[in-house]
Amino acid sequence: MPDSPDHPPRLILASSSRYRRELLERLRIPFDVVVPDIDETPLAGESPETTALRLAEAKARAVAGSGAGAAARTLVIGSDQVATYDGLQIGKPGTHAKALAQLQAMRGRDVLFHSALCLFDSGSGTAQAVDVVTRVRFRNLPDTDLEAYLLAETPYDVAGSAKSEGLGIALLEAIDSDDPTALIGLPLIALTGMLLAAGYPLFGTR
């Protein structure tokens, strides 16, 4: 059946992140979630931008190549985020101790967040990809404030150990980005542009 506003391509979010799922729900379009099975370890000598873009596309292609992406035409969204300062990559801390160490290292400094996005079209076998960069300046706060924040919000599953959509905004002095949703994990301005370019009926009229 050809695509139409009544029968759009199937949309899949290739992610285990509840934050990305919540962001995509803002668009009020139907989608499924499939968790990709890939190795997310950065390669030796790989730049943060390259890591983020490579993993975003790998996630989308992994799901598109599985049984989940076997429909006549499926659009698969892959995304990955890498934070960096002084050339060092900052991942998800996983534990309280590692999160505290991250925040201590970043306080009073500028940190770049690379939020890569890929939209893979199974119908054409093509991928659109972009890296949206957000510059974040962290406040120079004492350990007591950092500890209190971590205990309040437990942001151990986000790169950089701070949730800007919650209390973590108090850790930040400034955010510089073309897309306010990029820092949370899924750049919606870039994504909606990709979906429109792929002919997806975001407004039910295409």
Side-chain angles (χ1 to χ4, degrees), residues 75-90:
L75 299 176
V76 185
I77 303 165
S79 188
D80 192 77
Q81 188 178 73
V82 176
T84 179
Y85 70 91
D86 291 347
L88 301 174
Q89 292 196 26
I90 308 166

Side-chain angles (χ1 to χ4, degrees), residues 6-24:
D6 293 330
H7 299 282
R10 183 186 181 194
L11 191 63
I12 298 178
L13 176 63
S15 177
S16 61
S17 169
R18 63 186 177 92
Y19 310 110
R20 293 188 178 112
R21 183 174 67 250
E22 290 167 358
L23 283 168
L24 188 54

Side-chain angles (χ1 to χ4, degrees), residues 4 21 35 50 52-53 58 62 67 69 76 78 96 99 125 127 145 155 157 172 176:
S4 70
R21 183 174 67 250
V35 178
T50 302
L53 284 167
V76 185
H96 179 91
D145 288 349
D157 60 345
L172 311 181
D176 181 14

Side-chain angles (χ1 to χ4, degrees), residues 90-168:
I90 308 166
K92 300 173 184 177
T95 67
H96 179 91
K98 291 180 179 178
L100 179 60
Q102 283 190 356
L103 293 180
Q104 289 171 330
M106 295 185 298
R107 61 183 163 196
R109 309 185 66 164
D110 284 358
V111 178
L112 295 181
F113 286 78
H114 294 267
S115 302
L117 175 69
C118 176
L119 183 68
F120 181 80
D121 186 336
S122 70
S124 63
T126 60
Q128 302 179 61
V130 67
D131 173 36
V132 180
V133 181
T134 303
R135 181 181 297 274
V136 176
R137 183 177 307 116
F138 280 76
R139 298 184 192 276
N140 191 0
L141 298 173
D143 286 353
T144 51
D145 288 349
L146 301 182
E147 285 272 14
Y149 166 69
L150 292 175
L151 292 174
E153 205 156 52
T154 61
Y156 309 137
D157 60 345
V158 296
S161 305
K163 297 179 183 178
S164 63
E165 68 274 26
L167 179 60

